[in-house]
Amino acid sequence: MPHDSSQPPARERLHSVVVIVDENSNPFELGCATEVFGLRRPELGRDLYDFRLCSPQPRTAMRDGFFTLTGVAGLEAADDADTLIVPNRPDVEVPRRPAVLDAVRRAHARGARLVGLCSGAFTLAEAGVLDGRRATAHWQWADAFRARFPMVRLEENVLFVDDGDILTAAGSAAALDLGLHVVRRDHGAEVANAVSRRLVFAAHRDGGQRQFIERPVPAVPDESLAPVLAWAQERLDAPLTVSDLAARAAVSPATLHRRFRAQLGTTPLAWLTQERVALACRLIERGESRLELVARHSGLGTAANLRASMRRATGLTPTAYRRRFGPDAG
């Protein structure tokens, strides 16, 4: 049958993200999920996700009774989720509702992606889907988690863990880190950067960074790394070294290393590599196909180093990344 060009093209189905909200759930992580996955994106010219909240009861009292949530979908909405974000709450010793655990098990059995934020790892573990898998949770609950779920490979000193179809984040702000990681995995670095700019949040903190930062708020006098980071980001194609960064910051390399550890939870060299990979991803997304040029402009040097660095950071080769996120993707 000839194609009728007068008919509008079928609307692409958006990836469905559903958050289960249960009694005593934490409002902050719910807000993080809503900000990352639920907002319209007019600056991108398209929406990224079909986002819904659901709950096992019509009225859900949030943590400590701060407010009551009403008017959301029933728990059956979880059965249509491509990504299911499970409940997280501070009373980790209280068993989760059987209906919620059943919904998590059904989602896992049909291949949905599962996400646990903060204490959400307890929900996933109680549902039995984390046995033998890697996960993380807030550091203050690490001992309790290990005692209850010895079959789970808990990594307590990281921001988040991506174990393929199950992802978990440590407490509070790490929910934003994991959310942006998911956006980057689904839509590429350029889109993730746009979302992070709207959030006024760091575009990328690697999941392997430590949960506990020694001094999150710099004391007076100001020892913020922001000026040297901005300086380096404008010169990623140059052969920058840790000594160059230290000289720019007017400190010794040892002092710079301590400040990176205290303020960012990583090393200067690891941060440089992370920024260069992110720049390489953006160049590929914008249409640059010459790997030698991408490697040179991103400061990664050679095509071989570009391949190795991108595979380590994204799990994809530059060619596979271009197929998935380049201008002709889709």
Side-chain angles (χ1 to χ4, degrees):
M1 178 180 294
H3 177 66
D4 182 359
S5 59
S6 66
Q7 294 297 317
R11 183 181 177 186
E12 180 184 358
R13 177 186 175 277
L14 293 176
H15 183 104
S16 169
V17 176
V18 176
V19 182
I20 300 178
V21 186
D22 202 2
E23 199 77 18
N24 215 27
S25 283
N26 287 321
F28 182 84
E29 285 77 8
L30 175 61
C32 289
T34 303
E35 283 282 342
V36 173
F37 301 111
L39 297 190
R40 304 294 299 271
R41 302 292 174 192
E43 68 275 19
L44 297 176
R46 61 189 174 100
D47 294 332
L48 302 180
Y49 298 98
D50 175 17
F51 180 80
R52 300 183 76 189
L53 304 179
C54 73
S55 177
Q57 66 272 335
R59 299 174 60 85
T60 303
M62 301 296 289
R63 179 175 180 173
D64 297 331
F66 288 145
F67 60 89
T68 298
L69 189 68
T70 61
V72 301
L75 193 57
E76 65 276 2
D79 290 331
D80 297 324
D82 299 310
T83 293
L84 183 65
I85 302 178
V86 305
N88 69 298
R89 58 193 212 205
D91 50 345
V92 296
E93 72 286 349
V94 176
R96 271 48 176 168
R97 296 173 189 268
V100 169
L101 298 179
D102 287 343
V104 173
R105 294 184 190 108
R106 289 196 302 273
H108 182 60
R110 61 181 170 77
R113 181 168 59 190
L114 302 179
V115 176
L117 306 176
C118 194
S119 61
F122 283 82
T123 303
L124 294 169
E126 196 172 339
V129 301
L130 276 183
D131 286 355
R133 304 287 295 265
R134 298 167 52 241
T136 192
H138 195 287
W139 58 266
Q140 75 182 61
W141 290 313
D143 290 341
F145 187 94
R146 282 200 179 92
R148 284 184 61 188
F149 307 110
M151 298 296 292
V152 181
R153 296 157 53 195
L154 184 71
E155 299 180 13
E156 65 181 274
N157 205 28
V158 299
L159 293 178
F160 61 82
V161 168
D162 180 344
D163 201 40
D165 60 338
I166 301 181
L167 301 93
T168 48
S172 299
L176 287 174
D177 290 301
L178 179 56
L180 288 170
H181 171 78
V182 170
V183 173
R184 188 177 304 106
R185 208 173 90 169
D186 291 346
H187 298 283
E190 192 80 2
V191 170
N193 285 346
V195 175
S196 72
R197 283 195 298 271
R198 181 158 168 184
L199 291 169
V200 195
F201 190 75
H204 179 60
R205 290 199 298 169
D206 185 75
Q209 293 183 29
R210 294 179 303 149
Q211 288 187 31
F212 181 73
I213 305 301
E214 295 170 7
R215 185 169 52 81
V217 180
V220 176
D222 185 12
E223 296 179 347
S224 169
L225 289 170
V228 72
L229 299 183
W231 177 83
Q233 284 170 329
E234 294 176 356
R235 295 163 176 81
L236 292 174
D237 59 335
L240 293 177
T241 65
V242 174
S243 294
D244 294 329
L245 297 181
R248 179 67 185 181
V251 297
S252 69
T255 296
L256 185 75
H257 195 280
R258 285 196 298 272
R259 289 186 183 176
F260 263 78
R261 278 293 187 189
Q263 296 182 35
L264 300 180
T266 190
T267 66
L269 185 57
W271 178 85
L272 265 177
T273 301
Q274 167 187 306
E275 290 297 311
R276 284 170 166 154
V277 169
L279 176 56
C281 290
R282 293 197 297 272
L283 291 171
I284 292 171
E285 290 176 35
R286 292 169 184 172
E288 182 54 67
S289 60
R290 294 164 292 180
L291 297 190
E292 293 80 6
L293 202 61
V294 172
R296 186 163 70 248
H297 286 328
S298 63
L300 291 171
T302 65
N305 191 41
L306 170 68
R307 290 188 190 94
S309 299
M310 282 194 64
R311 183 182 286 278
R312 219 168 19 245
T314 69
L316 299 171
T317 65
T319 301
Y321 192 91
R322 182 169 59 249
R323 281 198 300 265
R324 183 168 177 182
F325 298 118
D328 299 325

